Amino acid sequence: MLRTALLARNILKAQSLHPVFFRSLASTLVVSVATIQIPSLAESITEGTVKSLRSTCALSVDVGDYVKVDEAIASIETGKAAVDIKSPVDGKIVKFFADVDATVLVGNDFAVIDETASPPAETKPKPEEKPKSAEPKAEEAKPKGTKSEVPKAPQAPKPKAEPKPVYEPPAAGARNTRRVPMGKLREAAASRMKESQNTYAMLTTFNECDMSAISTLRKDLGADFSKKYGVELTFMSAFIKAATMSLLKYPAINGVIDGKHAVYHDYVDMSVEVATPKGIIVPVLRNCEFMSFGAVSYTHLRAHETGRNLVCRLLLEKKKKKKK
């Protein structure tokens, strides 16, 4: 206690003797920062999910970036709407308290901004330099003896390597799935849609489609197709291939919702109705993305025959039991 009292007395004495030094030292040590908190999102909403930084645009913001007043630094998604978090001051981002896909509560600290930071200097683009004209060579080619020099053939340019696609299709026969977490807004929409499906009557919409090209294809190539594959080229083959290509182009239609995740399938299984003597069965054609028209037609025919044979066998077994 005695040492602390003596130290405090010495500091006060030094401050009274050198007030200018202590004021300049205090000004250099003080750093003005602004803490951004999660604002009120919506009525009865207490939490949200950080879906992206720098709002919904393609740019991203990170620690060390300079932001201006009212500039969106993040987007918080709830079950009702998406709310942008804006910077209240000009400054440099020092810290984030939450990352993308994290759940945050209303009123919690989200980011810290240093107000004393200076904006980055703007870099002016350099003027383009004009290409220098090639100077003609002064030396002339001299003939050497009687042998004539054969000019070399110009070398063909090497083919440039094609850029790799962002999404690589799976190997043949693969059945891969991808799980992607859903945001609050999408999760609420999926829940409401499922409730409406369970509660209200759902109607089927029929759309007209021009099938003249498929009719012409069957007329021109139907005979050759039957000779090669042993089955007829039907409209069902075109329907299955068109649906398969559409599902590969829009994988969300081929996905399912499992809890709080959306599960996307990298393969296509197609269910096709088959008529039997006792009703309709629905066999599944698996991995249709790797099937040709011939494979689709043949597999569909085999499924049709298998279904009919199965039903006929079950009917015969029932008749035998009744006779006994």
Side-chain angles (χ1 to χ4, degrees), residues 134-155:
E135 297 180 357
K137 295 183 179 180
E139 298 180 357
E140 296 180 358
K142 297 180 179 180
K144 295 182 180 180
T146 57
K147 295 181 179 180
S148 60
E149 294 183 357
V150 180
K152 295 182 180 179
Q155 296 180 354

Side-chain angles (χ1 to χ4, degrees), residues 307-320:
R308 289 179 63 89
N309 295 337
L310 177 61
V311 172
C312 292
R313 189 171 70 248
L314 292 175
L315 291 175
L316 289 174
E317 290 178 358
K318 287 184 177 180
K319 288 181 179 181
K320 289 180 181 179

Side-chain angles (χ1 to χ4, degrees), residues 53-288:
L53 298 179
R54 188 65 68 86
S55 186
T56 55
C57 64
L59 299 176
S60 61
V61 64
D62 202 353
V63 174
D65 292 349
Y66 190 87
V67 293
K68 297 181 178 180
V69 179
D70 293 334
E71 184 175 354
I73 63 173
S75 177
I76 307 298
E77 192 175 273
T78 67
K80 294 184 178 180
V83 180
D84 289 343
I85 296 182
K86 298 182 179 181
S87 173
V89 295
D90 294 342
K92 183 174 68 174
I93 297 177
V94 178
K95 182 180 180 181
F96 279 114
F97 293 97
D99 204 348
V100 179
D101 293 332
T103 301
V104 292
L105 300 177
V106 174
N108 284 8
D109 294 341
F110 180 73
V112 176
I113 295 180
D114 181 9
E115 300 181 48
T116 60
S118 56
E122 297 182 359
T123 57
K124 297 182 179 180
K126 296 181 180 180
E128 297 182 358
E129 297 181 358
K130 296 182 179 180
K132 297 181 180 180
S133 57
E135 297 180 357
K137 295 183 179 180
E139 298 180 357
E140 296 180 358
K142 297 180 179 180
K144 295 182 180 180
T146 57
K147 295 181 179 180
S148 60
E149 294 183 357
V150 180
K152 295 182 180 179
Q155 296 180 354
K158 296 181 179 179
K160 296 182 179 180
E162 296 182 357
K164 295 183 179 180
V166 177
Y167 170 73
E168 297 182 359
R175 302 180 64 81
N176 302 327
T177 58
R178 292 174 287 120
R179 298 178 63 88
V180 179
M182 295 190 301
K184 296 287 184 181
L185 188 61
R186 192 175 180 188
E187 185 180 345
S191 177
R192 299 294 183 271
M193 290 178 66
K194 185 59 180 175
E195 288 179 6
S196 65
Q197 185 183 20
N198 297 337
T199 306
Y200 300 101
M202 307 298 290
L203 303 178
T204 304
T205 303
F206 294 90
N207 297 321
E208 293 184 358
C209 182
D210 184 8
M211 299 296 296
S212 58
I214 301 299
S215 300
T216 305
L217 181 67
R218 294 183 65 218
K219 184 178 179 180
D220 297 340
L221 304 177
D224 296 337
F225 187 88
S226 300
K227 290 179 181 179
K228 183 175 182 180
Y229 295 103
V231 292
E232 294 184 3
L233 179 58
T234 61
F235 284 104
M236 184 58 68
S237 303
F239 295 153
I240 294 174
K241 287 300 297 182
T244 301
M245 294 172 66
S246 300
L247 292 176
L248 291 176
K249 186 176 182 179
Y250 302 101
I253 304 177
N254 194 29
V256 296
I257 294 175
D258 184 13
K260 296 184 178 181
H261 291 77
V263 182
Y264 298 98
H265 301 91
D266 293 337
Y267 57 90
V268 177
D269 293 344
M270 198 69 61
S271 300
V272 185
E273 292 184 353
V274 173
T276 65
K278 293 295 291 183
I280 294 175
I281 62 173
V282 187
V284 180
L285 309 183
R286 302 192 182 279
N287 289 101
C288 293

